[in-house]
Short mmCIF file of all heavy atoms in Angstrom, two decimals:
data_model
loop_
_atom_site.label_atom_id
_atom_site.label_comp_id
_atom_site.label_asym_id
_atom_site.label_seq_id
_atom_site.Cartn_x
_atom_site.Cartn_y
_atom_site.Cartn_z
N CYS P 69 2.32 -14.41 -28.42
CA CYS P 69 1.74 -13.96 -27.24
C CYS P 69 2.80 -13.35 -26.34
O CYS P 69 2.54 -12.32 -25.62
CB CYS P 69 1.04 -15.17 -26.48
SG CYS P 69 -0.46 -15.76 -27.17
N ASN P 73 2.62 -9.63 -25.23
CA ASN P 73 2.33 -9.60 -23.80
C ASN P 73 0.79 -9.80 -23.55
O ASN P 73 0.19 -9.08 -22.82
CB ASN P 73 2.84 -8.38 -23.13
CG ASN P 73 2.81 -8.49 -21.57
OD1 ASN P 73 3.08 -9.61 -20.98
ND2 ASN P 73 2.57 -7.43 -20.90
N THR P 74 0.14 -10.80 -24.22
CA THR P 74 -1.26 -11.11 -23.97
C THR P 74 -1.48 -12.55 -24.44
O THR P 74 -0.59 -13.22 -25.09
CB THR P 74 -2.09 -10.23 -25.00
OG1 THR P 74 -3.49 -10.51 -24.72
CG2 THR P 74 -1.77 -10.44 -26.52
N PHE P 75 -2.55 -13.12 -23.94
CA PHE P 75 -2.84 -14.46 -24.34
C PHE P 75 -4.06 -14.51 -25.37
O PHE P 75 -4.45 -15.66 -25.65
CB PHE P 75 -3.34 -15.33 -23.12
CG PHE P 75 -4.42 -14.66 -22.27
CD1 PHE P 75 -5.75 -14.76 -22.56
CD2 PHE P 75 -4.06 -13.98 -21.16
CE1 PHE P 75 -6.82 -14.26 -21.89
CE2 PHE P 75 -5.08 -13.32 -20.47
CZ PHE P 75 -6.38 -13.53 -20.76
N GLU P 76 -4.45 -13.39 -25.88
CA GLU P 76 -5.40 -13.35 -26.93
C GLU P 76 -4.74 -12.60 -28.17
O GLU P 76 -4.27 -11.49 -28.12
CB GLU P 76 -6.66 -12.59 -26.52
CG GLU P 76 -7.40 -13.23 -25.44
CD GLU P 76 -8.65 -12.52 -24.97
OE1 GLU P 76 -8.83 -11.35 -25.29
OE2 GLU P 76 -9.43 -13.20 -24.30
N LEU P 77 -4.92 -13.31 -29.29
CA LEU P 77 -4.38 -12.77 -30.62
C LEU P 77 -5.47 -12.53 -31.57
O LEU P 77 -5.61 -12.89 -32.70
CB LEU P 77 -3.45 -13.85 -31.18
CG LEU P 77 -2.35 -14.25 -30.28
CD1 LEU P 77 -1.49 -15.42 -30.90
CD2 LEU P 77 -1.35 -13.12 -30.06
N TRP P 98 -8.03 -21.16 -28.73
CA TRP P 98 -7.78 -20.59 -27.48
C TRP P 98 -7.17 -19.26 -27.45
O TRP P 98 -7.44 -18.38 -26.61
CB TRP P 98 -6.91 -21.57 -26.61
CG TRP P 98 -7.65 -22.70 -26.00
CD1 TRP P 98 -7.43 -24.04 -26.30
CD2 TRP P 98 -8.79 -22.69 -25.06
NE1 TRP P 98 -8.29 -24.82 -25.61
CE2 TRP P 98 -9.20 -23.97 -24.85
CE3 TRP P 98 -9.41 -21.67 -24.37
CZ2 TRP P 98 -10.16 -24.36 -23.88
CZ3 TRP P 98 -10.44 -21.94 -23.47
CH2 TRP P 98 -10.77 -23.30 -23.27
N ALA P 99 -6.29 -19.00 -28.53
CA ALA P 99 -5.66 -17.66 -28.62
C ALA P 99 -6.59 -16.74 -29.37
O ALA P 99 -6.26 -15.53 -29.43
CB ALA P 99 -4.35 -17.85 -29.41
N LYS P 100 -7.75 -17.17 -29.85
CA LYS P 100 -8.73 -16.34 -30.55
C LYS P 100 -8.13 -15.74 -31.84
O LYS P 100 -8.37 -14.57 -32.16
CB LYS P 100 -9.29 -15.26 -29.57
CG LYS P 100 -10.03 -15.96 -28.44
CD LYS P 100 -10.68 -14.90 -27.53
CE LYS P 100 -11.55 -15.53 -26.56
NZ LYS P 100 -11.05 -15.49 -25.16
N VAL P 160 -8.92 -13.22 -13.99
CA VAL P 160 -8.72 -12.87 -15.44
C VAL P 160 -9.39 -13.99 -16.19
O VAL P 160 -8.93 -15.19 -16.23
CB VAL P 160 -7.26 -12.82 -15.74
CG1 VAL P 160 -7.06 -12.50 -17.20
CG2 VAL P 160 -6.48 -11.68 -14.92
N ARG P 161 -10.48 -13.64 -16.79
CA ARG P 161 -11.24 -14.72 -17.64
C ARG P 161 -10.52 -14.89 -19.06
O ARG P 161 -9.91 -14.00 -19.56
CB ARG P 161 -12.61 -14.28 -17.92
CG ARG P 161 -13.47 -14.15 -16.56
CD ARG P 161 -14.87 -14.11 -16.84
NE ARG P 161 -15.73 -14.05 -15.70
CZ ARG P 161 -16.14 -15.13 -15.08
NH1 ARG P 161 -15.77 -16.29 -15.49
NH2 ARG P 161 -16.76 -15.02 -13.97
N TYR P 162 -10.60 -16.14 -19.52
CA TYR P 162 -10.07 -16.38 -20.83
C TYR P 162 -10.93 -17.41 -21.51
O TYR P 162 -11.85 -17.90 -20.97
CB TYR P 162 -8.56 -16.78 -20.75
CG TYR P 162 -8.39 -18.07 -19.83
CD1 TYR P 162 -8.17 -19.25 -20.42
CD2 TYR P 162 -8.16 -18.00 -18.49
CE1 TYR P 162 -8.04 -20.47 -19.68
CE2 TYR P 162 -7.98 -19.07 -17.75
CZ TYR P 162 -7.91 -20.34 -18.37
OH TYR P 162 -7.68 -21.44 -17.64
#
Side-chain angles (χ1 to χ4, degrees):
C69 288
N73 194 33
T74 184
F75 53 85
E76 293 184 346
L77 303 173
W98 281 115
K100 298 183 173 112
V160 178
R161 294 194 179 273
Y162 60 95

